[in-house]
Every structure is written in structure tokens, then in C-alpha cells.
Amino acid sequence: NGKTNTATGNPLDYTQTNNEPNVISLPKAETPVRYTLRVKNLSTEIEDNAKIDDLVLVDNLPQINDTRTWRSDTPRGSQFQLNLADQNDHPMTVIIQDYDASGAATGLPRTLTQGRDYVIEYSDECFLAGDAFKNKPAPGWYATPTASTRSFRLRTLKTDDAKMAIHAVLELSFDAVVDESFKPSKDDQIAWNSFGYRYHMVANEPEEFLEAEPEVVGVKLPGVQIPS
């Protein structure tokens, strides 16, 4: 489980939270960044008992003085801000790919449908409370992103397509852009992104949820010569 980020137009320049390095470099501040959040069902249960039938995934975007997603008492240390790209031109996508025990893909990935299989909601908050991870509507979360959006969350709905069988991987991809407030520096600057998730499995008791937060990934803007 983890995240990758890619500089748009350069698919070889990427990072994963379980690989080194975990930072990509952007050629310029205007280059969009494609993030892909991945959640894999690592259950050791069998058949239908292994399915994840309730998932909430939350991402808080990089900004100055930010913190980790779930562990809001842990600084993330971003040196500049990224915002969601325009959703009309850069819509989020959500897919689930099934795999067998050997790691081979089984069938084609299925694209989930917003409003039927999941909902995406947005918040102006970067420092999130535990209610953000509960699969129900909550105050402060809204349906359409704005210029002040700092976080978003995915909530799966109770459809067969949204359930994750054992070994299945859910991927949520979105684009982000560097905020216009960015100021070049002679030193490299890095913005850190992370996400957390909370899920329920068929085999669990109704109120028995598990949670996790993969490691951060970074976007670096190299230092430049500053005229004296």
C-alpha cells in the first residue's frame, strides 16, 4: 500500500513510498503532478470473508506547516503548497484491479463510477480529525472543490464493484499543481504528500475497523540562481 507521484509528461520520473528515493523533481513550477494512491487487500482470510466492503481514504494536500494525514501531531515539513488541478480538465479516476495469489492480474481493471460506487468529498481543513475517516456525511465536507480546498476523501458505497477481494488493489489518481504563491529559492524546496485510510472487512465485527497511513512522497523544485 502506498503512493506514487509522476511529473506529467515524464512517466519514468516517479517515486513509491516503499522505494528509494521518495522524491521526484519537477522541471518547473508550472508542471502538474500526477499522484496515484494505492490500497491493497492483504487479508489472510478466505474467499468472501476477505473482501473489503467499506473504505475511506483521506488525502491532505501539501502546504506550509502541514502535518501527516492520520498522525496530525507529526509535522510533514512541506516548503510550498500544492492545490488540486482543475477537475474539469484533470478529473480523478478510481479503479480496482484484481490479482491472484501469484501477483498476476486477473481480468481488466474496473473503473468505479462516482455517485454509484463511491463519493469524493472536499474540505478546507488540512489538519483532520478522526471523523474524517468515518464512512458517512460529515460537517465541513462538500461535493465540489474550491480554491480553498486543502483535503479530499473517497468513501466507497455498498456495491459489488466497490468491494475489494483478496489481493485486489484500488487506485485513486489525481493531479495537483504548485500554488501561485511559490517563490523560487537558491536551495531545493520539497512539498510532502501523504494519505491515510480506514477500512472494514466482511470477516470483521460490524464496528471493527482497521486503519493505516503509508509513508510520505515528495515533490522537489530545484534551487535556482537568485539575482543579487
Side-chain angles (χ1 to χ4, degrees):
N1 296 320
K3 164 180 288 188
T4 66
N5 54 352
T6 306
T8 300
N10 185 3
L12 299 179
D13 189 8
Y14 72 97
T15 183
Q16 291 184 281
T17 56
N18 55 352
N19 287 345
E20 289 292 341
N22 66 344
V23 177
I24 67 164
S25 292
L26 294 184
K28 56 184 179 179
E30 295 76 19
T31 303
V33 180
R34 184 74 166 173
Y35 289 98
T36 298
L37 319 182
R38 291 186 175 90
V39 175
K40 183 175 183 177
N41 185 345
L42 298 172
S43 173
T44 56
E45 296 285 344
I46 57 171
E47 298 180 357
D48 285 349
N49 282 344
K51 288 184 177 179
I52 293 175
D53 62 352
D54 185 315
L55 173 69
V56 178
L57 182 157
V58 182
D59 187 294
N60 57 329
L61 298 164
Q63 67 179 48
I64 304 295
N65 298 321
D66 57 1
T67 67
R68 296 291 296 266
T69 309
W70 194 280
R71 304 192 293 276
S72 58
D73 59 344
T74 303
R76 214 163 47 182
S78 292
Q79 296 171 292
F80 59 91
Q81 177 171 313
L82 282 98
N83 305 321
L84 283 177
D86 186 320
Q87 291 298 289
N88 292 317
D89 298 327
H90 304 266
M92 292 186 186
T93 60
V94 182
I95 65 169
I96 292 178
Q97 175 65 65
D98 292 311
Y99 294 88
D100 62 24
S102 72
T106 58
L108 297 173
R110 61 185 182 274
T111 300
L112 303 192
T113 301
Q114 187 168 353
R116 184 194 70 187
D117 301 314
Y118 69 93
V119 294
I120 298 286
E121 296 166 321
Y122 306 89
S123 171
D124 293 348
E125 296 295 324
C126 186
F127 311 102
L128 302 166
D131 283 351
F133 291 85
K134 294 180 180 178
N135 199 345
K136 60 183 181 180
W141 291 89
Y142 46 87
T144 303
T146 69
S148 58
T149 293
R150 298 310 313 145
S151 302
F152 68 87
R153 66 177 184 168
L154 171 146
R155 297 192 292 114
T156 61
L157 302 177
K158 298 293 186 178
T159 65
D160 288 340
D161 277 349
K163 292 178 180 177
M164 296 175 60
I166 187 170
H167 310 305
V169 175
L170 179 144
E171 294 187 354
L172 184 158
S173 297
F174 69 96
D175 288 351
V177 292
V178 176
D179 188 73
E180 61 183 14
S181 66
F182 172 75
K183 291 182 173 57
S185 167
K186 63 182 178 62
D187 300 314
D188 293 348
Q189 299 182 72
I190 298 176
W192 299 101
N193 193 263
S194 58
F195 75 100
Y197 58 96
R198 180 177 186 259
Y199 63 99
H200 178 269
M201 306 193 70
V202 172
N204 294 358
E205 295 296 325
E207 297 304 317
E208 183 183 357
F209 287 83
L210 302 170
E211 55 202 43
E213 180 178 352
E215 284 303 314
V216 298
V217 295
V219 172
K220 180 171 67 176
L221 282 166
V224 298
Q225 278 194 319
I226 305 296
S228 56

